[in-house]
Amino acid sequence: MGRDRARLITASAVVPVGFLGLFFAYPVATVLWRGLGFGGDVALADLLGSGRTRDAVWFTVWQAAVSTVLTVAVALPGASALARSRPRTQRRLRALVTIPFVLPTVVVAGAFAELFVRFGLDDGPVRLRHTVWAILLAHVFFNYAVVVRTVGSFWAGLDGRVEEQARVLGAGRARTFREVTLPRLRPAIAAAASIVFLFSFTSFGVVLVLGGPRQATIETEIYRYAVLRTDFSTAAALAVVQLVAVVALVALANRLERTRPLTQRAGHRTGLRRSRLGGAVNGLGVAMLLGLPILVVIERSLTVGDRYGLTNYRALGTRLTMLPAPATTAIRNSLVYAAVATTIALAVGTIAALVVVHGRGALRHVLDLGLTLPLGTSAVTIGFGILIALDQPPLDLRTTWWIVPIAHSLVGIPFVVRTMVPVLRRIDPSLREAAAVLGASPGRVRREIDLPIAGRGMLVGASFAFAVSMGEFGATAFIPRRPDTLTAPQALFRMLSTPGELVRGQAMALAVILMLVVAIAVLAIESVRGSDEGTF
Amino acid sequence: MWELRDASVRFGSTTALDGVDLRVDPGEIVVILGPSGCGKSTLLRALAGLQPLDRGNVWIDGRDATREPPHTRGIGLMFQDPTLFPHRTVGDNVAFGLRMLGWDRAARADRVAEMLDLVGLPDFAARAVDTLSGGEAQRVALARSLAPGPRLLLLDEPWAALDRTLRDRLTAEIPALLRSTGTSAVHVTHDHDEAFAIADRVAVMHRGRVLRVAPPAELFADPRTATVARFLGHENIVDDGAGRRVIRRDAASVDEQGELDVRVTGCRFRGDHHDVTVASDLGTLRFHLDRGFAIGAAVRLHIDPDRVAPLADD
């Protein structure tokens, strides 16, 4: 590669650095500044002394820990099934379990709330509504895919003959799993678990909807102080607590990921007999956990009184009293914002990925690390930061709808970068050399070699960014409510908070539409994604 | 005594094992010889219990062990690569089977030391497995397989990934080692030289079937079918009108009174013999002769009838 091109790439780092600096670093720094008391408020000390905060921090930590343990336990059989299936089945299974993962949090929360109503678990002898159990269930639902995909892909790459050795050396099936398979899976399980913990730790929509007013995590506390009480200094102090915890977690996750062995022998399928009954129980359990909430939502959306019909869907065009605009407007807004956010994420993310892969010196490392931060930082902190930092001229973005897609793209950029970097790294320099020797000019090489290969990565990143934007809830919750900033998840949240059979049906109809849009985006991802590409 | 009776395994539309009968006597080394994909690995895995049979049985010492799980069969298994447990030390790898048998720590340590001595790796017990060279790892795998005193050792092309010198050495050492412990073995390979060097009996496999089982010398002298003859390295398969025959490469000698006129088409010096290719009425033949010839030379050869065997139709 020419010197000039390297210099050009390094220079173009201005774009991602500038964008992330303005819309991510500056708002987050503002939160830190105020939270640490430089703005004149000294809320942090008070806050750490208050029992309410201590309770919230404690609850955040333990529910995340329990969610993680439960998810790993429930998903390991799934990972095993994935690892043992044929490549084609493997691709389908991966796509299938990924749908829950990318579903909007509010949709999932609403689905579980509806599930409880449908099966009489909402109230009565067994009450799940507004309990920690509801939150844990939803977290397992969400993160099942993280464990199945991360551990399953790793497992599929392990040489099964090592287990066969253990079997002929006298270890039974259970003992082989405990003594040989589990230790070998440990790096993948640790990596998956740290991601699940992080997601559960920063979970917002699920806790807000399913936990009710009494289950408070750091995230929901920030929201309550900032949005419901407009007590910005306390909210900022809480955000500092959150940031510290998240940075520590991300550092830990990165370390665990680094200890993961990079080279593995190609998997060697084994003929070891597996239990059919176990497989059936596993399949049924997963179908219940992942499928039932979705089915319940679909059924409820089609229920009109004691019959089935499309009335709920038709009613979405009429404005409800708790909404500034009809739900259909919210859907249209969301589609537009998702398109804009995806475009921004793709542009900024692609440049950033190029710098990370081909750039020079310290810059690429700084950018590499800087890009993982928005992924780790909770959406709530980002939204809150934008709310308090970009609120005055010349940068008063609260009055324009642009603020919504910009906030969403911050969540999408890391996804684009994380899918593109491995693809770009994998382009073998000898391919370019071969093309050049065959007479291709540098520009032609880029067009004929780099672009087609990187294009797939871009497409995958784009679909993810789109799905993320469609379902984004945490950051958007902080953006002032006007008809033109109302997104579909926001509308759904407010419909879910309103009691009443009629609103309920319409909420479910809106949820189904959101699910469909996101599922289509994800299935598009899976059809272009090779089986060997990155996990998350 | 281990036996496969009418063992059959299908993978989808391909038949990996097709009604195989095979007996392994105590202390015996049986070598399965055949091209890749002939089902020889499947045969091993069936003996180990790693591959369920679609039809037929596995008999161990007179009892039907078809449904017995792998871990109670008392088997050692070696693959082409060592498949050591990556998260355990060399010593823990070797001790694994002993732990499964419930040996106590002290007894295990003694046995591990003994086994590592046996494979020429003393003082390796504390090493991490990723610090071993390919040859060392394979020898640790051998120590691990032998440590619990298996009644049957299954070897699936165990030296294929090793360099020539090491392979020759292990090929020479293994039979003595197995005999010293009284272990039976089934060894899979596609290399007939290796098969002859270690086998008590050789079983030739082709397309999921065992074509012939016999001691190496008997098999080489009388392969009976052209397919078996080719696997054993025979090239001179001729049809002189009276039927098909195989002529060993060492069957010819230069003799003015001989019965076969040939023209030399190639000649290479090989130290203790000359490798001569000739054209004759019987087709192209290859012989090991004690002198060389220029290309195009006309030579008369005598064929030793004791080194010619008739072949039946396959």
Side-chain angles (χ1 to χ4, degrees), chain B residues 1 4 19 30 61 64 74 92 122 127 143 155 174 188 199 207 214 220 223 236 266 271 275-276 284 293 298 313:
Chain B
M1 191 176 74
L4 284 178
V30 173
D61 297 332
D64 186 349
D92 286 345
R127 291 269 292 267
L155 303 128
I174 283 290
V188 157
R207 293 187 185 156
F220 188 75
N236 305 328
D275 189 342
V276 182
T284 300
F293 297 93
D313 287 333

Side-chain angles (χ1 to χ4, degrees), chain B residues 22-311:
Chain B
L22 185 73
R23 194 189 75 241
V24 184
D25 291 324
E28 189 186 30
I29 301 177
V30 173
V31 174
I32 315 286
L33 181 64
S36 56
C38 72
K40 48 194 197 310
S41 296
T42 308
L43 186 150
L44 277 199
R45 296 164 52 79
L47 278 171
L50 294 168
Q51 176 61 57
L53 294 177
D54 293 328
R55 199 182 70 217
N57 303 83
V58 182
W59 289 75
I60 302 174
D61 297 332
R63 76 195 138 83
D64 186 349
T66 312
R67 309 226 161 266
E68 202 174 305
H71 65 280
T72 58
R73 293 195 184 193
I75 278 180
L77 179 59
M78 292 268 301
F79 293 114
Q80 185 168 330
D81 28 35
T83 59
L84 296 175
F85 304 130
H87 56 290
R88 295 174 186 273
T89 62
V90 166
D92 286 345
N93 263 279
V94 178
F96 189 91
L98 304 172
R99 272 200 309 121
M100 298 304 128
L101 291 173
W103 287 35
D104 67 43
R105 187 179 294 272
R108 288 204 304 260
D110 288 349
R111 180 72 166 177
V112 167
E114 184 193 338
M115 284 297 129
L116 288 175
D117 262 349
L118 193 70
V119 298
L121 297 172
D123 310 322
F124 269 60
R127 291 269 292 267
V129 297
D130 55 9
T131 65
L132 301 175
S133 72
E136 287 165 351
Q138 194 61 320
R139 281 188 283 165
V140 171
L142 180 63
R144 179 179 64 179
S145 300
L146 291 175
R151 291 175 299 164
L152 179 68
L153 184 63
L154 304 173
L155 303 128
D156 191 352
E157 307 212 19
W159 324 131
L162 303 184
D163 64 58
R164 184 67 190 247
T165 325
L166 198 59
R167 190 161 70 215
D168 287 349
R169 222 187 79 208
L170 286 167
T171 306
E173 285 172 0
I174 283 290
L177 215 140
L178 291 176
R179 279 186 190 108
S180 72
T181 52
T183 311
S184 315
V186 177
H187 182 121
V188 157
T189 182
H190 60 257
D191 178 345
H192 47 81
D193 287 334
E194 189 177 306
F196 294 153
I198 62 173
D200 291 318
R201 286 190 300 148
V202 175
V204 180
M205 264 192 96
H206 183 57
R207 293 187 185 156
R209 294 175 155 276
V210 171
L211 300 180
R212 180 101 194 278
V213 191
E218 189 187 321
L219 193 69
F220 188 75
D222 184 17
R224 290 198 193 156
T225 64
T227 312
V228 173
R230 280 194 203 97
F231 284 144
L232 299 175
H234 286 296
E235 284 170 282
N236 305 328
I237 293 163
V238 300
D239 195 332
D240 57 6
R244 294 230 279 179
R245 292 165 204 283
V246 57
I247 308 171
R248 282 165 61 163
R249 278 192 291 271
D250 59 357
S253 52
V254 182
D255 188 343
E256 281 307 313
Q257 315 300 315
E259 62 283 349
L260 186 64
D261 283 313
V262 301
R263 184 165 300 278
V264 174
T265 57
C267 181
R268 273 187 295 173
F269 175 59
R270 285 295 179 83
D272 55 358
H273 66 266
H274 293 262
D275 189 342
V276 182
T277 314
V278 300
S280 75
D281 291 344
L282 297 171
T284 300
L285 300 173
R286 201 169 144 198
F287 292 117
H288 293 173
L289 301 175
D290 50 13
R291 50 173 287 213
F293 297 93
I295 307 262
V299 183
R300 175 162 289 182
L301 297 175
H302 166 66
I303 306 293
D304 179 356
D306 289 345
R307 299 188 181 188
V308 179
L311 294 175

Side-chain angles (χ1 to χ4, degrees), chain A residues 24 28 60-61 194 197-203 218-219 222 238-254 372-382:
Chain A
F24 173 70
V28 171
T60 309
V61 172
S194 62
F197 189 87
L198 184 68
F199 285 165
S200 306
F201 192 87
T202 58
S203 167
I218 307 176
E219 296 280 294
I222 296 174
L238 273 164
V240 170
V241 175
Q242 171 84 334
L243 268 173
V244 169
V246 164
V247 166
L249 279 172
V250 170
L252 183 73
N254 274 348
T372 54
L373 285 180
L375 189 68
T377 312
S378 76
V380 164
T381 306
I382 294 177

Side-chain angles (χ1 to χ4, degrees), chain A residues 84-393:
Chain A
R84 286 168 170 188
S85 50
R86 291 165 214 279
R88 247 180 65 180
T89 321
Q90 228 172 64
R91 264 201 300 284
R92 287 190 190 141
L93 282 176
R94 285 164 63 100
L96 209 63
V97 300
T98 307
I99 292 173
F101 175 70
V102 292
L103 286 186
T105 50
V106 190
V107 168
V108 173
F112 273 93
E114 192 56 41
L115 184 76
F116 300 154
V117 173
R118 184 76 172 70
F119 291 97
L121 304 169
D122 189 49
D123 227 338
V126 185
R127 191 178 70 92
L128 289 177
R129 182 169 54 121
H130 294 180
T131 66
V132 66
W133 292 107
I135 296 171
L136 295 177
L137 259 176
H139 284 169
V140 173
F141 175 90
F142 258 120
N143 296 314
Y144 184 84
V146 177
V147 178
V148 166
R149 295 178 61 131
T150 311
V151 179
S153 309
F154 184 83
W155 201 334
L158 292 179
D159 189 345
R161 291 175 307 170
V162 176
E163 271 77 15
E164 293 185 348
Q165 280 292 355
R167 291 304 303 279
V168 297
L169 285 167
R173 205 196 300 266
R175 194 153 185 196
T176 302
F177 179 75
R178 209 171 58 239
E179 295 216 11
V180 179
T181 311
L182 208 54
R184 288 165 89 211
L185 291 177
R186 192 171 294 151
I189 292 176
S194 62
I195 294 171
V196 175
F197 189 87
L198 184 68
F199 285 165
S200 306
F201 192 87
T202 58
S203 167
F204 174 62
V206 164
V207 181
L208 203 61
V209 175
L210 289 177
R214 269 172 307 145
Q215 311 285 355
T217 62
I218 307 176
E219 296 280 294
T220 59
E221 285 291 280
I222 296 174
Y223 173 75
R224 280 185 192 125
Y225 277 108
V227 175
L228 303 183
R229 302 187 188 175
T230 52
D231 176 357
F232 288 175
S233 44
T234 308
L238 273 164
V240 170
V241 175
Q242 171 84 334
L243 268 173
V244 169
V246 164
V247 166
L249 279 172
V250 170
L252 183 73
N254 274 348
R255 256 183 84 135
L256 289 172
E257 211 165 337
R258 216 168 300 139
T259 57
R260 199 154 125 183
L262 290 172
T263 50
Q264 290 176 12
R265 273 188 53 88
H268 202 275
R269 286 160 53 73
T270 83
L272 277 179
R273 212 187 279 267
R274 60 190 111 126
S275 138
R276 255 159 227 241
L277 184 69
V281 168
N282 180 25
L284 202 69
V286 171
M288 293 265 285
L289 173 74
L290 302 187
L292 214 51
I294 295 175
L295 287 179
V296 164
V297 171
I298 295 173
E299 199 218 4
R300 182 63 186 88
S301 77
L302 293 169
T303 306
V304 188
D306 50 4
R307 287 178 304 120
Y308 289 127
L310 291 172
T311 313
N312 289 325
Y313 289 87
R314 285 198 204 97
L316 291 178
T318 321
R319 192 178 77 83
L320 291 160
T321 46
M322 81 293 286
L323 297 178
T328 42
T329 308
I331 295 171
R332 206 197 57 217
N333 286 348
S334 271
L335 285 170
V336 172
Y337 298 156
V340 175
T342 304
T343 311
I344 298 175
L346 211 50
V348 178
T350 301
I351 296 173
L354 277 170
V355 176
V356 168
V357 174
H358 296 304
R360 280 187 300 181
L363 186 67
R364 51 194 284 193
H365 296 297
V366 171
L367 205 58
D368 199 8
L369 185 72
L371 281 164
T372 54
L373 285 180
L375 189 68
T377 312
S378 76
V380 164
T381 306
I382 294 177
F384 179 49
I386 288 176
L387 173 71
I388 62 171
L390 305 175
D391 62 343
Q392 47 202 321

